Amino acid sequence: MLNLSLKQLAEKLASKQVSSVEMTQEFLNRIKALNPVYNAFVTVNEEATLSQAKFADETIAAGKGTLLTGVPIAHKDIFCAKSWRTTCGSKMLSNFVSPYDAHVIERFGQAGTVNLGKTNMDEFAMGSSNETSHFGPVKNPWDVNAVPGGSSGGSAAAVAARLCPAATGTDTGGSIRQPAALCGISGIKPTYGLVSRYGMIAFASSLDQGGPMARSAEDLALMLNVMVGFDARDSTSLQREEENYARTLDQPLKGLKVGLPKEYFAEGLSADVERAVQAAIDEYRKLGAEMVEISLPNTRLSIPVYYVLAPAEASSNLSRYDGVRYGYRAPEYTDLMDMYKKTRAQGFGTEVKRRIMIGAYVLSHGYYDAYYLQAQKIRRLIAQDFTDAFKQCDIIMGPTAPTTAFNLGEKGADPIQMYLSDIYTIAVNLAGLPGMSIPAGFGDDGRPVGLQIIGNYFSEAKMLNVAHQYQLATDWHQRKPQGI
């Protein structure tokens, strides 16, 4: 049961071969046994989870279930879930119990899925390795000496280790795609605004986007059908007619024009990752796709632009954590100002403090025009690169990350090297485009390689079709870590 897809699990529930309580208990037993190894979950509430499973069984028995009713999934600990501890990987929120559900949690609740627990993550989604969590690093199931990627590393590791069949994640600069690549699973970051950010703890509001993580494109489509929808509580939520993202999965790829950005195959890309990605591209040629070389000339500027804009927004969003209203408060202080200072000094980790300071600096008087305003102008040029590229092709492909998963602690002392882990993913967020990562082989070290697929705005169905056809022709997405 642990290796079945979401669709197969749903079929077992619908045919009453197994109850949701039985299915959920099996995943809970596995979490209990293996979470001490991988540290993928921050919070598990067996009583609340089994209560949801029991209700799902009653719903199915009454003939009122949806496709995913009774299927257990996990949620990144950035989504507020009513009566669940929601920490965002931070000491600052380590004792915060949410009084309400995020839009995404509501949608999955309405679909009848069961919440298996909250997954570990980099503190406030700031990180590329899942080493900045207050609750300790997550281990990669393919090699426990390696990072799982960040910031949705807990979700990615949980799916790869079969602790859950699927999970939610968020992607601000690649935080769904990069950990999906490093853990050998599939993940999609939808077009900005397609999934409501209501109840999703903010990092950089103009970049944050929720999305699903699972083992196959087909499962991502089923999850996306649940997550996407207009929400009046999020001013950036897009009002569009809801669609079935699984409807075009079986379409052939003959005639598909795939753009290969020359900047994604240049210096910095490791040889084994390039080999695996080129092999995937060859497979697409066999499926009838036509390759076109394109250029995204401003890609090299995406990292510096991102690390001006994202910290600027983070410094503003995180100003609300002052110890007054909720979350951590320093136990000893002399006056109000001292309480603010000590609360934030003790409550935030090093990476969060670094980004708050960078953000405050680039927004300060005298530097706003020199940094923030210039970065916004370059962001527009980066988006224009993609607009021009999509005049030549239907889909863009390349590596998701320049290397396979690196070792725990390897890049912790060098933030710039860490930031370069997201060099191929960040531009997609700056442009607001959808992007996804699917398994495409292994590096020389036996760790997974991800193939990135980038689509034009609202082309999620086409991207999932492109990924699904590849997964019908290959079995990389079905491989599992040794001993799993």
Side-chain angles (χ1 to χ4, degrees), residues 337-348:
M337 192 57 69
D338 191 46
M339 190 269 284
Y340 288 157
K341 289 178 180 175
K342 286 180 175 167
T343 292
R344 289 170 68 79
Q346 295 168 17
F348 290 134

Side-chain angles (χ1 to χ4, degrees), residues 46-56:
E46 191 166 329
E47 186 180 340
T49 297
L50 289 174
S51 174
Q52 287 184 8
K54 188 179 175 193
F55 181 72

Side-chain angles (χ1 to χ4, degrees), residues 63-385:
K64 296 178 180 175
T66 69
L67 180 64
L68 295 183
T69 296
V71 177
I73 63 168
H75 292 289
K76 185 176 180 179
D77 204 21
I78 199 169
F79 292 103
C80 289
K82 188 175 182 179
S83 302
W84 283 73
R85 190 169 69 130
T86 301
T87 71
C88 214
S90 178
K91 180 179 178 181
M92 189 62 86
L93 290 174
S94 57
N95 62 357
F96 174 63
V97 177
S98 174
Y100 72 103
D101 280 333
H103 178 80
V104 165
I105 301 288
E106 279 180 355
R107 298 279 294 196
F108 278 109
Q110 289 160 5
T113 64
V114 175
N115 183 357
L116 270 175
K118 309 295 286 297
T119 57
N120 205 347
M121 55 179 285
D122 278 310
E123 184 178 10
F124 284 103
M126 299 179 195
S128 303
S129 64
N130 224 130
E131 293 173 291
T132 70
S133 170
H134 172 64
F135 302 95
V138 176
K139 311 285 177 63
N140 191 322
W142 291 90
D143 185 341
V144 292
N145 296 310
V147 302
S151 65
S152 306
S155 291
V159 173
R162 275 53 173 176
L163 305 184
C164 61
T168 55
T170 62
D171 193 313
T172 304
S175 291
I176 285 176
R177 290 160 287 156
Q178 189 250 23
L182 271 48
C183 287
I185 67 164
S186 305
I188 184 166
K189 172 227 173 272
T191 303
Y192 179 76
L194 211 52
V195 174
S196 169
R197 290 182 296 109
Y198 177 78
M200 194 178 98
I201 295 172
F203 161 20
S205 304
S206 76
L207 301 161
D208 295 340
Q209 183 60 69
M213 307 175 80
R215 292 199 293 276
S216 70
E218 186 177 35
D219 282 354
L220 293 181
L222 298 181
M223 288 188 73
L224 209 53
N225 283 344
V226 175
M227 296 177 81
V228 171
F230 174 67
D231 178 13
R233 297 166 297 187
D234 175 1
S235 62
T236 60
S237 177
L238 297 168
Q239 197 157 13
R240 291 174 57 84
E241 190 175 334
E242 293 192 17
E243 61 175 301
N244 178 2
Y245 291 99
R247 75 187 191 287
T248 57
L249 288 175
D250 294 326
Q251 284 185 358
L253 300 185
K254 189 170 175 55
L256 179 81
K257 282 194 174 178
V258 176
L260 303 178
K262 60 183 181 182
E263 293 81 5
Y264 283 29
F265 296 89
E267 188 182 352
L269 177 63
S270 71
D272 54 345
V273 171
E274 182 171 9
R275 242 187 339 265
V277 171
Q278 289 292 359
I281 290 167
D282 289 341
E283 190 64 43
Y284 273 104
R285 285 194 179 96
K286 292 179 195 169
L287 292 170
E290 176 189 345
M291 301 299 152
V292 182
E293 184 180 274
I294 59 169
S295 177
L296 299 170
N298 292 298
T299 293
R300 63 188 172 84
L301 300 174
S302 58
I303 295 272
V305 166
Y306 178 85
Y307 282 99
V308 170
L309 298 181
E313 295 185 23
S315 72
S316 173
N317 277 324
L318 270 59
S319 64
R320 72 192 64 172
Y321 302 107
D322 54 11
V324 175
R325 286 157 290 195
Y326 52 84
Y328 176 79
R329 175 184 291 180
E332 295 178 3
Y333 47 87
T334 54
D335 55 26
L336 182 64
M337 192 57 69
D338 191 46
M339 190 269 284
Y340 288 157
K341 289 178 180 175
K342 286 180 175 167
T343 292
R344 289 170 68 79
Q346 295 168 17
F348 290 134
T350 303
E351 182 62 26
V352 173
K353 288 176 191 169
R354 180 185 292 123
R355 299 198 193 194
I356 289 174
M357 290 173 70
I358 293 171
Y361 179 79
V362 301
L363 289 175
S364 61
H365 181 68
Y367 296 100
Y368 177 90
D369 287 352
Y371 293 103
Y372 185 78
L373 196 59
Q374 290 300 316
Q376 288 288 21
K377 289 177 180 175
I378 299 171
R379 179 181 189 172
R380 184 71 192 85
L381 295 177
I382 290 169
Q384 187 61 46
D385 283 352

